[in-house]
Structure formats: C-alpha cells, structure tokens
Amino acid sequence: MKGLLFKSKPKTPVELVRQTRDLLIYTQRNSDIRESKREEKMMELSKTMRDLKCVLYGNGQSEPVSDACSQLTQEFFREDTLRLLINMLPKLNLEARKDATQVVANLQRQQVQSRLIACHYLEANIDLMDILVAGYENTEMALHYGTMLRECIRHQSVARYVLESEHVKKFFDYIQLPNFDIAADAAATFKELLTRHKSTVAEFLSKNYDWFFAEYNSKLLESTNYITRRQAIKLLGDILLDRSNAAVMTCYVSSRDNLRILMNLLRESSKSIQIEAFHVFKLFAANKNKPSDIISILVANRSKLLRLFADFKTDKEDEQFEADKAQVVKEIAALETKELS
C-alpha cells in the first residue's frame, strides 16, 4: 500500500535529459570507481536511454507527444549531451547503444518552432563527424556510428563538411571492408552523401572530378568483389542520370577509359551488373558530341555490341528498357554509316 501511495512520479523530458547528462559525466570522470558502482550507474544510464527513446518514439500503447519531444530536443542540444553520448557510446552495453543510436537518429528530425536545432548544434560541433566517420574502423561501433552519421548528413551543411573533408576518401576503403554488414552500411552512407543534396553533390563532383572518378573507377568499378562492383555501377547510374549532375555526366561520357570500363562491365556474367552498366553505357551512345576516340571505339566494337544487345533482356518485361536498347542500337548503327560515308 505504502509503495502505491509514494510511487515516484515519472520524470519530465527535461529531467530525463539532465539525468542522462549527469550519468554520462559521472561515468566519464570516474573511470576508476569500483565495479559494483560502475555497474549501477550503467544500469541507470541504460534505463534513461530507454526512457528517452519512449518519449521520442512512443511506448507501443501511445504515440509520442510533440510538446514532450520539443522539450527533450531543446534540452538535449542546450549543452553537450550529444558529444558526451557519442564519446561514451563504446562504454554502454549493446541495448543501451541501440537505444542511444535511435535517440540520436530521431533528434535529427525533431523541429522546435519550425527549426531543426540539431543542425545548428552540429554546425557548431562539426568535429563530431570526424568521430562518426572514423567509427567504421571499429568493428563493435561501426553500425551504431554509421546509423548516426547517415541521419546527421540529412542536414546539407553537415553533408557538405563530410564531402569536403579528407574523410570522403576513406569510404572507398570502408565499402570494401571484409565485414559484410559494415561494408554495406558504409556503402549506404556513401550513397546518401552522393545523392541526397543535389546542389552540394554537383558542386563537389565538379570540383573534385579527376581524383574522385579515378578512385571510383579503380577501387569500386574494377574491384575484384562482385557486390562492390554491383553497388558501384548502380550508384554511378544514379549520379550520372541526375539532371543536376549534367555537366559531370558530359565529362564522364567523353572519356575512353570510362567507356572501356563500362564495356567490360557489359560483358559480366551477372545480369544485374550488365543491366546497370547498360544504363550508364547508353549515355555514351546518346552523347551528341562524342569525341573522335569514343566514336572509334564504338565503331571498332560495333558488331560485338550489336550481338550482345540482340540477346539482352531484363528478367521482367520492361518497355522503357526495350526503347532505350533500340535507341542505343540505332545510335551505334548510325555511327558505322557515318564512318563509311
């Protein structure tokens, strides 16, 4: 009866964040405390993480309350709670890490008075991206930090920082890490960086065209790993077929080295790689201002290409694909006519 009368009332969102911050600071500063005390604090921290997640996502019985979410978000970014949490994440147990990752992900989308205050916080603490990107080098932390990173680069200014930093070069290696899950996560982040913010991506690719595509071709498109090649050719199509990257696309399809790589991918035994390679190859064929060396290569390989396309089909009927293929065949046949005339 006594327990029911004096049941402690639930903490407010602001109190939850403050308790989380206090616990993070305590465990960070007192790394030499006795094991039982440390365990106790970690259990408390796990509970507050779970409670924060419930406020932001709801608890199964009830939906999240927007006012509570706003209060929590404001308090979270009022001080350095995010920095503390990112730094202390490796010390948390697995469930607490998962909850913390979901909390950080959700906070990137929370608006307070129509403002994404997470974005303003990250702009002032942009070095946190250095920690998150480097997280791919830590097998235990990679998926947690990778998820956080993908949510943070929803903000255009944050994505621009990552693209313009030296970090972007690391992704060419992260995508090929032996751990499949981590490699796939890195590939998902890389795709997000190169497709979400159109104007930023177009500017980045124009400024960094030479080194970026040299790396992209040699490390990804010509990788010995089938999955890496398949993901890379699909992403290349997404990039080049985006109207905002028209200038980059024109540059890419004017290179004989790029054409050589694409023609090799067209000859792959994998149907999915062949199809994705075709979507890039058709840009070479459709280019109205083909350089003479591109024309020479296409004419020299005309009979092989036409033979390949004669049996080239998708698994499901696809009218657009058939129309594109017919146009490519027409372009290549016309080149031969010009050559002979």
Side-chain angles (χ1 to χ4, degrees):
M1 193 67 185
K2 222 177 199 179
L4 291 172
L5 287 172
F6 296 103
K7 196 175 180 187
S8 61
K9 67 176 191 185
K11 289 185 168 62
T12 66
V14 169
E15 288 168 340
L16 273 177
V17 175
R18 285 178 184 166
Q19 185 187 13
T20 303
R21 188 186 303 134
D22 290 345
L23 285 165
L24 287 166
I25 291 168
Y26 181 88
T27 47
Q28 186 181 49
R29 288 181 183 166
N30 299 282
S31 54
D32 55 349
I33 54 172
R34 69 179 188 274
E35 187 63 23
S36 59
K37 186 72 173 170
R38 198 182 69 80
E39 283 282 315
E40 180 192 323
K41 292 294 179 186
M42 284 300 174
M43 290 294 284
E44 284 182 55
L45 200 43
S46 294
K47 185 181 181 309
T48 60
M49 277 296 126
R50 203 160 52 247
D51 292 343
L52 288 173
K53 189 176 87 167
C54 281
V55 174
L56 293 170
Y57 288 92
N59 60 8
Q61 278 97 39
S62 58
E63 291 291 306
V65 178
S66 58
D67 192 41
C69 291
S70 293
Q71 289 173 33
L72 191 154
T73 305
Q74 271 183 300
E75 184 62 28
F76 199 92
F77 292 112
R78 195 172 62 78
E79 291 189 41
D80 253 357
T81 311
L82 182 60
R83 182 177 295 277
L84 281 165
L85 187 54
I86 287 173
N87 283 325
M88 290 299 291
L89 202 67
K91 302 271 194 270
L92 305 184
N93 66 39
L94 182 59
E95 283 310 307
R97 282 180 199 166
K98 287 180 183 173
D99 289 340
T101 301
Q102 287 185 274
V103 166
V104 171
N106 186 293
L107 287 170
Q108 304 313 309
R109 304 166 189 235
Q110 289 290 341
Q111 294 196 10
V112 179
Q113 294 169 345
S114 304
R115 287 170 63 242
L116 285 166
I117 61 174
C119 181
H120 297 285
Y121 175 87
L122 289 174
E123 286 172 354
N125 295 271
I126 200 71
D127 62 296
L128 289 174
M129 295 306 102
D130 305 344
I131 300 170
L132 296 184
V133 174
Y136 280 118
E137 292 162 33
N138 180 331
T139 309
E140 274 191 32
M141 301 310 301
L143 299 181
H144 304 297
Y145 280 153
T147 301
M148 288 185 184
L149 178 61
R150 256 190 319 286
E151 290 298 327
C152 290
I153 60 176
R154 291 170 65 87
H155 311 302
Q156 190 157 2
S157 54
V158 178
R160 185 182 297 113
Y161 169 80
V162 177
L163 281 171
E164 291 176 354
S165 71
E166 287 296 302
H167 296 314
V168 76
K169 294 180 180 176
K170 296 176 183 175
F171 280 92
F172 291 105
D173 298 320
Y174 294 159
I175 286 168
Q176 300 189 79
L177 286 168
N179 182 306
F180 175 80
D181 291 334
I182 296 173
D185 196 276
T189 304
F190 192 58
K191 180 181 179 180
E192 187 78 356
L193 275 171
L194 291 168
T195 54
R196 177 173 277 276
H197 305 289
K198 311 291 187 191
S199 59
T200 298
V201 171
E203 185 186 343
F204 165 77
L205 291 174
S206 296
K207 276 188 195 168
N208 299 277
Y209 179 90
D210 290 341
W211 76 258
F212 180 85
F213 284 107
E215 290 279 286
Y216 200 100
N217 288 350
S218 65
K219 289 193 170 175
L220 304 184
L221 291 180
E222 296 185 302
S223 166
T224 53
N225 185 300
Y226 159 74
I227 292 170
T228 302
R229 292 197 308 281
R230 192 183 71 191
Q231 288 175 331
I233 188 59
K234 170 82 171 75
L235 178 56
L236 180 64
D238 292 343
I239 292 167
L240 297 182
L241 286 161
D242 194 304
R243 284 180 190 170
S244 57
N245 297 323
V248 169
M249 183 269 285
T250 302
C251 203
Y252 192 89
V253 301
S254 299
S255 158
R256 60 182 295 162
D257 287 338
N258 295 344
L259 178 57
R260 176 186 58 77
I261 291 167
L262 262 296
M263 286 170 66
N264 284 336
L265 290 169
L266 278 173
R267 291 164 50 209
E268 286 253 3
S269 56
S270 157
K271 177 60 74 76
S272 58
I273 288 182
Q274 280 189 315
I275 299 293
E276 295 302 341
F278 171 76
H279 288 306
V280 178
F281 176 81
K282 71 186 180 188
L283 300 172
F284 285 86
N287 182 10
K288 297 299 177 198
N289 300 301
K290 297 179 188 69
S292 57
D293 55 351
I294 297 285
I295 293 173
S296 300
I297 293 169
L298 290 174
V299 169
N301 291 275
R302 181 185 68 87
S303 56
K304 286 181 191 170
L305 287 165
L306 295 182
R307 234 182 1 257
L308 173 72
F309 293 139
D311 300 322
F312 206 44
K313 288 182 175 62
T314 51
D315 291 334
K316 291 179 183 170
E317 204 171 303
D318 184 336
E319 285 181 21
Q320 185 59 54
F321 176 80
E322 290 301 325
D324 287 348
K325 189 176 77 168
Q327 186 59 35
V328 167
V329 167
K330 186 178 162 189
E331 292 280 353
I332 293 171
L335 280 176
E336 192 240 2
T337 308
K338 285 177 195 168
E339 199 70 13
L340 292 174
S341 59

